[in-house]
Amino acid sequence: MIDEVQGALADRLARAITLGGPIPLSQFMRAANAEYYATRGGVGTDFVTAPEVSQMFGELIGAWATDLWDRAGRPEVAFVELGPGRGTLAADALRAMRFAPPVHFIETSPRLRAEQAERVPDAVWHEDLSTLPDDRPLIVVANEFFDALPIEQVVRAADGWKRRLVACQDTLFLPVSGPRLPDEIVPAHLRDAPVGSIVESSPASVAVMRELTARLARQGGAALIIDYGYDGPALGDTLQAVRGHAIANPFDAPGSVDLSAHVDFAVLGAAAVRAGTAVHGPVAQGEFIGQLGIATRAAALAKAAPARTDEIAGQHRRLTHQDEMGTLFRALALTGDGWPVPAGFA
Ligand code: SAH
């Protein structure tokens, strides 16, 4: 049944390309990921995220939110999560929080909404940010959300920079060069890169960021964004597909692999500053949750369950060590006017 649906997406995209010519990479990625999150296992089946590694991750974020809310003067706020996956982070965070705000989830996949409802039954779901409450400050968390949003790529050809499009031959999808773009589309220091070089951007991420930060500027509150990425613009093709915990071809079987791309923290930060919110970090995830006290939390959990000592130590290492998720992943925080600097960003 699922294979039929995914076959249907491949057919639909193939037909669109046959009729209208190659499509933008962002259109391919948006359609593929919408299908993927709507139908397949996703988190757990194909990749593991920090909240799925250990309950400590969500609990520390709950403590982070409590501290922030407390130092902000304990206002009436809403807790918002973008792309909550299986709902694990929110459930762990809410359990650890010393207050009980209303919970709002931004989630487009009906299947994941149902999973989230098992863990956080009282949440209110939204398709996008436009329907979030606008009468109170928001405390927003987004873990591995922005990396799932569609990207565009431009590729350096012998005669200049070209937009990367997705074509289809028979039933095989493949990237091709589109029409030439003005050189100015690429930042000056990257313009003379060798043939084959790629520069990425994510207009969809910037759009979400603008909406989010405009709200923080207007309503107050804070956002915590955790993802893997770089400080761009930079050269590099970071589009990646995973299936069953292994790397796959991003253009094979759209809808049955998870597509993601590295997040450009510099661009996200700049969008936030323009909207009038303060930006903190990015700091390495290992450092961030180290400052929040993961060592103490791990020791307490191990003391309560001595048989799990090694397992907990392994989770601690996985979340914080530089060879694991500790430095690849980074945390960025945004705060509205009058909100204190969040813990972990001092
Ligand atoms: N935060 C979770 C899940 C990360 S996977 C975790 O850390 O485990 C990405 C999540 O974002 C999924 O819940 C997916 O359905 C959701 N998502 C992806 N694109 C989206 C979009 N455009 N709008 C809303 N949600 C989206």
Side-chain angles (χ1 to χ4, degrees):
M1 151 72 182
I2 282 175
D3 279 347
E4 256 168 51
V5 176
Q6 277 151 2
L9 172 69
D11 286 350
R12 220 161 60 230
L13 288 171
R15 233 178 357 257
I17 292 168
T18 308
L19 288 173
I23 57 173
L25 178 61
S26 56
Q27 187 182 331
F28 180 83
M29 188 171 172
R30 178 177 290 108
N33 266 354
E35 183 76 9
Y36 173 78
Y37 285 110
T39 54
R40 217 180 124 76
V43 189
T45 314
D46 296 313
F47 55 95
V48 176
T49 57
E52 303 296 335
V53 168
S54 168
Q55 69 186 76
M56 293 188 283
F57 189 77
E59 288 169 351
L60 290 167
I61 289 178
W64 176 90
T66 303
D67 167 72
L68 188 67
W69 165 79
D70 186 44
R71 287 188 291 123
R74 307 192 164 205
E76 297 251 331
V77 300
F79 180 80
V80 178
E81 188 175 353
L82 313 182
R86 305 177 62 202
T88 309
L89 190 162
D92 292 336
L94 291 162
R95 195 179 57 243
M97 275 155 65
R98 295 281 173 269
F99 64 123
V103 178
H104 293 263
F105 285 160
I106 312 283
E107 176 60 68
T108 39
S109 158
R111 193 180 57 80
L112 286 175
R113 281 188 182 196
E115 251 198 83
Q116 292 154 17
E118 285 172 24
R119 294 182 179 82
V120 187
D122 295 334
V124 176
W125 280 267
H126 304 261
E127 283 290 306
D128 55 44
L129 284 79
S130 66
T131 50
L132 285 175
D134 40 31
D135 63 342
R136 61 187 65 212
L138 306 175
I139 295 184
V140 183
V141 175
N143 186 63
E144 289 208 49
F145 171 74
F146 283 95
D147 66 69
L149 298 185
I151 59 160
E152 291 282 351
Q153 293 182 334
V154 291
V155 57
R156 174 73 209 215
D159 56 343
W161 289 90
K162 297 182 169 176
R163 190 176 188 189
R164 219 169 179 210
L165 303 173
V166 180
C168 181
Q169 271 176 358
D170 303 322
T171 53
L172 282 181
F173 295 95
L174 70 167
V176 295
S177 294
R180 185 170 172 192
L181 298 165
D183 284 352
E184 287 74 9
I185 201 95
V186 171
H189 69 287
L190 303 176
R191 242 168 248 163
D192 294 328
V195 168
S197 300
I198 285 174
V199 176
E200 296 180 342
S201 62
S202 178
S205 296
V206 173
V208 170
M209 201 62 181
R210 283 193 180 161
E211 205 172 340
L212 173 62
T213 51
R215 278 181 176 275
L216 296 181
R218 219 165 42 228
Q219 297 170 222
L224 176 64
I225 294 166
I226 302 176
D227 230 307
Y228 47 94
Y230 58 104
D231 293 305
L235 299 177
D237 176 5
T238 75
L239 180 66
Q240 137 173 323
V242 296
R243 184 188 166 110
H245 304 278
I247 299 293
N249 179 339
F251 299 101
D252 266 357
S256 67
V257 297
D258 172 67
L259 293 182
S260 68
H262 289 210
V263 167
D264 185 342
F265 281 101
V267 163
L268 295 189
V273 168
R274 272 198 300 280
T277 55
V279 175
H280 316 276
V283 299
Q285 172 172 300
E287 195 183 311
F288 175 62
I289 56 178
Q291 280 199 43
L292 298 186
I294 190 170
T296 310
R297 184 74 196 124
L301 284 178
K303 195 167 169 214
R308 291 183 57 221
T309 302
D310 288 350
E311 181 198 337
I312 292 161
Q315 295 171 347
H316 180 185
R317 182 190 150 88
R318 182 130 182 231
L319 292 175
T320 58
H321 197 274
Q322 61 186 22
D323 297 338
E324 306 264 358
M325 301 175 84
T327 44
L328 176 62
F329 284 78
R330 291 190 289 166
L332 182 77
L334 318 167
T335 47
D337 217 13
W339 276 66
V341 176
F345 295 92

